[in-house]
Amino acid sequence: MSLPSPENIGQAPVWENYVIAQTVAASRGQIPAHALAFGVEVDGPRVRLRFQLSEATEEDGDDMSDIVSELEGLLGNDVEVE
């Protein structure tokens, strides 16, 4: 098995990597204050964001909604973000 490189991406998960990069961009400065963990699940055009919080405040909910909205804008209409 050969590892992917910039010249030959091979079997690298290009779509998944793109979604993760866009999720990072969407979440800059918006990670909820009580977040312990934040993850991304990619299943084709379906993207699910997972947050683990020590407590959930209204502000945390607003931050999560803002991340989802921003990500929807970055990924386009053909992708379902939850």
Side-chain angles (χ1 to χ4, degrees), residues 27-75:
S27 63
R28 280 181 295 164
Q30 299 189 84
I31 302 263
H34 298 101
L36 300 173
F38 172 35
V40 183
E41 293 177 33
V42 182
D43 184 16
R46 297 179 67 213
V47 177
R48 175 176 286 164
L49 303 180
R50 297 229 181 233
F51 296 87
Q52 182 179 6
L53 306 171
S54 60
E55 64 180 272
T57 65
E58 186 175 330
E59 186 176 299
D60 293 331
D62 292 343
D63 288 339
M64 290 184 285
S65 293
D66 289 346
I67 292 170
V68 169
S69 295
E70 183 72 22
L71 187 57
E72 288 172 334
L74 291 170
L75 294 179

